[in-house]
Amino acid sequence: MERATRLWRGLLLRDFPIESWWQGSLLSRVSGSLRSWGKSSLLVQTSDWIGLGLVLLYWVFSAQSSTGILGLILLAMAALVVLGWLVETPTWLPVHLPLGLFWGIATLATILSPVPYAAREGWLKLTLYLAGYLLLQRLLRQLQFRDWIVGSLLLVSLAMGVYGLRQYFYGAAELATWVDPESGLAGLTRVYSYLRNPNLYGGYLVPLVPLGLAAVFLWPGWGVKLLVGFTTAVNLLCLVLTYSRGAWIGGLAALGMMAVLLAQWHTPRLPARWRRWTVPTLLGGGAAALLLAILTVRPLRLRVRSLFWGRLDTSNNFRLNVWAAVLDMIRDFPILGIGPGNVAFSRVYPLYQRGNFSALGAYSVPLQLTVETGFLGSLAFAWFLLVLWDHGWRCWNRLLSSRDPEGLWVAAGLAACTGMMAHGLVDTIWYRPQVQMLWWLAVALVTAKLASSRTQPSSNSPRGKLLSPSQDCI
């Protein structure tokens, strides 16, 4: 039993000395000679503010369907991350080890891909996303930057939500066949705001609900709380009006997880006899309200019922055909897959497609991970999720026991990750630039707290003042 416990702790990297491992690496020794330059460089001194500006620009431009400029912003983010590595010791966490392994496997899958030139583009996107995540983690360790990052995102989502509600009340053009024309939902307005796709817009909104709930409880001032609460209500309403079944699944998972964590947070304030019934009552009441809405609102009822129509629903039938074809692709490329990216997928998929319809992806994140990077890549990413959840959950419980309000951001990150992965079971909008960086924002909210708990900023650091380290998450 003791041996099994040690193996489990080893798998979760709870005792992995990643700082010592990094200090002994070649890159650490090379960058050490540049750190004295970083202490006096104006570029390094202001790099975090530049990074903040890039993140804010990313939120603004991700509110539209065009994604070209987002790649340029990510490239600038990557340059800042590399600059930071050269002049300052990075804050590595155990969770970065499986993430680095996944990147390494994706690199090998690109080299050995049957379409290497197409896979190279997907590898570049993956690398830029990971660089964006590392920048977000660094910025979120600073309180004022975190408020700016989350606050600006919520303001952008409010503008998108207002336009989405306008589409619902005044109508919106169907830019594609979003609803089965032979079903009772023909002619239904599905809002998509500026993203021109209701499934993409729904996936965009899934992580914003727990972020908004955390901000309501954490940010001071009733004016701010009312604005954030109104924004969260608009986002939740627009999430429903997208009529995206996958986004509904993700939204329910995110909202349910956040509700449970908030109940845990507020339970100590309740009378002792009420505490044991808080979570069951909350979940039971939510389930009852959901069931009542399904029974009384016809479009909602028909949309939920279509989940169980099988191939009788055109969307279901299309996904089932895609999944079958993707399984054939995985059978032929099981170890390292075909290489990362939608371009590589679009080159290989026509050889396996069923029917006369092409597909942009596997319409399932686990299947997409496996077809792109094989079983090695999917297992590495599953390891990353397991370590992230374990470290994040233990951090949440320790912050909960110490009543540290910062724990609510960890809760929001965990809830957002849960919702996005639930949505990812039946769709791949997770890979779109507008949604992908929201995923890494949620991950960074968890790991930023872990990082700030493991490091103490030195007095001669070229960075701005960081969060005071807490012993809760060590």
Side-chain angles (χ1 to χ4, degrees):
M1 185 65 181
E2 183 179 350
R3 182 179 180 182
T5 302
R6 288 199 303 269
L7 289 174
W8 179 245
R9 290 180 63 87
L11 177 65
L12 297 177
L13 302 175
R14 292 184 179 178
D15 306 311
F16 184 73
I18 194 165
E19 294 92 347
S20 301
W21 174 82
W22 169 258
Q23 290 171 3
S25 68
L26 177 63
L27 185 58
S28 176
R29 292 194 294 269
V30 170
S31 63
S33 60
L34 297 174
R35 288 170 194 158
S36 59
W37 169 78
K39 295 175 183 178
S40 59
S41 168
L42 179 62
L43 178 61
V44 174
Q45 294 288 340
T46 59
S47 62
D48 282 352
W49 288 99
I50 297 173
L52 175 64
L54 291 173
V55 172
L56 300 187
L57 281 177
Y58 195 97
W59 296 154
V60 172
F61 285 105
S62 65
Q64 58 182 358
S65 58
S66 177
T67 60
I69 193 172
L70 298 181
L72 296 177
I73 296 174
L74 284 172
L75 190 61
M77 290 181 179
L80 285 180
V81 170
V82 173
L83 176 65
W85 285 355
L86 292 176
V87 300
E88 190 176 83
T89 302
T91 302
W92 295 113
L93 299 169
V95 72
H96 293 145
L97 182 63
L99 192 58
L101 176 63
F102 172 74
W103 179 84
I105 293 173
T107 302
L108 189 59
T110 301
I111 297 172
L112 301 178
S113 169
V115 284
Y117 292 103
R120 187 171 56 189
E121 183 176 334
W123 175 87
L124 178 60
K125 291 179 182 178
L126 171 64
T127 303
L128 292 179
Y129 287 139
L130 292 179
Y133 154 67
L134 293 174
L135 179 63
L136 281 171
Q137 177 185 283
R138 193 175 83 194
L139 296 177
L140 288 171
R141 292 168 59 192
Q142 305 183 50
L143 284 173
Q144 71 274 26
F145 284 1
R146 185 179 58 202
D147 290 344
W148 273 96
I149 289 171
V150 177
S152 61
L153 176 61
L154 292 175
L155 286 177
V156 170
S157 73
L158 177 60
M160 296 178 66
V162 170
Y163 185 61
L165 292 179
R166 184 183 183 280
Q167 288 177 331
Y168 179 75
F169 287 112
Y170 296 102
E174 287 192 17
L175 304 176
T177 308
W178 302 128
V179 180
D180 187 347
E182 298 180 0
S183 72
L185 293 171
L188 176 72
T189 297
R190 296 181 60 186
V191 304
Y192 48 78
S193 191
Y194 297 103
L195 297 182
R196 304 173 71 82
N197 184 326
N199 295 327
L200 175 58
Y201 184 40
Y204 176 88
L205 292 173
V206 166
L208 296 182
V209 174
L211 289 180
L213 290 174
V216 167
F217 286 99
L218 281 170
W219 287 346
W222 283 106
V224 174
K225 290 180 182 294
L226 288 173
L227 178 60
V228 174
F230 176 73
T231 301
T232 304
V234 169
N235 287 337
L236 188 57
L237 180 58
C238 286
L239 176 60
V240 174
L241 295 178
T242 61
Y243 286 94
S244 170
R245 297 170 299 177
W248 286 352
I249 293 172
L252 285 174
L255 190 59
M257 175 61 67
M258 192 64 184
V260 170
L261 297 179
L262 286 175
Q264 285 186 317
W265 180 262
H266 291 286
T267 293
R269 301 178 181 179
L270 299 176
R273 63 180 182 275
W274 291 2
R275 293 176 185 174
R276 62 182 299 182
W277 298 105
T278 303
V279 174
T281 301
L282 183 65
L283 295 180
L290 177 63
L291 181 60
L292 181 62
I294 292 174
L295 294 176
T296 56
V297 181
R298 182 175 179 272
L300 185 63
R301 181 172 66 254
L302 291 177
R303 194 67 174 147
V304 172
R305 284 174 57 188
S306 68
L307 288 168
F308 307 100
W309 288 349
R311 290 189 177 272
L312 295 178
D313 180 80
T314 56
S315 179
N316 294 349
N317 185 57
F318 175 73
R319 277 170 167 74
L320 290 171
N321 286 336
V322 172
W323 292 343
V326 168
L327 289 175
D328 290 340
M329 295 168 66
I330 293 172
R331 179 197 61 200
D332 291 344
F333 302 94
I335 306 301
L336 288 172
I338 64 172
N342 61 301
V343 178
F345 185 89
S346 64
R347 295 286 178 84
V348 180
Y349 179 77
L351 302 175
Y352 297 85
Q353 75 180 38
R354 305 194 178 188
N356 298 320
F357 298 98
S358 61
L360 299 176
Y363 288 91
S364 172
V365 169
L367 287 180
Q368 189 77 30
L369 286 169
T370 308
V371 78
E372 288 186 355
T373 58
F375 286 108
L376 290 180
S378 61
L379 288 175
F381 197 82
W383 185 25
F384 159 69
L385 292 179
L386 182 64
V387 174
L388 173 69
W389 181 261
D390 174 69
H391 287 238
W393 183 254
R394 291 189 301 117
C395 182
W396 156 252
N397 280 288
R398 289 165 183 164
L399 293 172
L400 177 65
S401 63
S402 64
R403 306 300 298 169
D404 186 344
E406 298 300 314
L408 291 179
W409 288 121
V410 176
L414 291 174
C417 288
T418 301
M420 297 180 83
M421 280 294 100
H423 186 187
L425 294 175
V426 293
D427 209 340
T428 46
I429 55 89
W430 183 76
Y431 286 91
R432 299 288 292 272
Q434 297 90 340
V435 176
Q436 179 74 181
M437 284 305 292
L438 295 183
W439 161 263
W440 293 118
L441 171 65
V443 173
L445 281 171
V446 178
T447 59
K449 185 59 183 176
L450 295 171
S452 63
S453 301
R454 296 172 68 92
T455 60
Q456 182 138 19
S458 61
S459 58
N460 59 354
S461 171
R463 304 284 175 203
K465 186 177 181 180
L466 300 178
L467 280 169
S468 298
S470 159
Q471 297 301 313
D472 298 315
C473 296
I474 294 178

